[in-house]
Amino acid sequence: MTLDDDNERWWFDDAAGPVARPYTFTGGRTRSNSGIELDLVTLVVTAADSSSWHRVDSASAQLLRFCEHPLSVAEAAAGVHLPLRVVKVLLGDLIHQQLMLYRTGATRAGRPDVHTMQRVIDGIRAL
């Protein structure tokens, strides 16, 4: 344990450095203001060039840089080393600002029910 004289803070792990609570990245929000719900496999990609990034915070800018190629929400969260819930809120905000594009998978309404799936499995086994 060392004392950082400049900030007069105690650190228990020098390698960890300063730690920010997740809610500081989202202003205490647990959902995006856009109302967009993202799941782990939703694909996201940066939609705007870097000239429009000046209006976002540093965590959002980091996401924009990291997502220049399509990635899942889970991959984006792992890549920027932020909690998944935080990344979902930030991505929702970026989508709402039209700085990020997203594509979701099939909706639950478009999926077959359990009975239909069981009939398909039984049919495959009968072959």
Side-chain angles (χ1 to χ4, degrees), residues 43-75:
L43 295 177
V44 292
V45 65
T46 302
D49 61 28
S50 59
S51 65
S52 58
W53 297 358
H54 66 278
R55 61 183 191 214
V56 299
D57 59 78
S58 61
S60 295
Q62 185 181 10
L63 272 168
L64 288 167
R65 277 191 299 279
F66 192 75
C67 295
E68 290 182 323
H69 301 287
L71 296 170
S72 70
V73 171
E75 291 171 314

Side-chain angles (χ1 to χ4, degrees), residues 39 104-115 117:
D39 59 26
T104 60
T107 61
R108 184 148 182 85
R111 296 180 186 164
D113 61 23
V114 174
H115 179 69
M117 292 299 292

Side-chain angles (χ1 to χ4, degrees), residues 16 18-22 24-25 58-60 62-63 66-67 71-88 90:
V19 178
R21 296 278 185 200
T24 61
F25 292 104
S58 61
S60 295
Q62 185 181 10
L63 272 168
F66 192 75
C67 295
L71 296 170
S72 70
V73 171
E75 291 171 314
V80 296
H81 307 290
L82 289 173
L84 184 61
R85 180 49 51 209
V86 169
V87 169
K88 284 182 174 184
L90 295 176

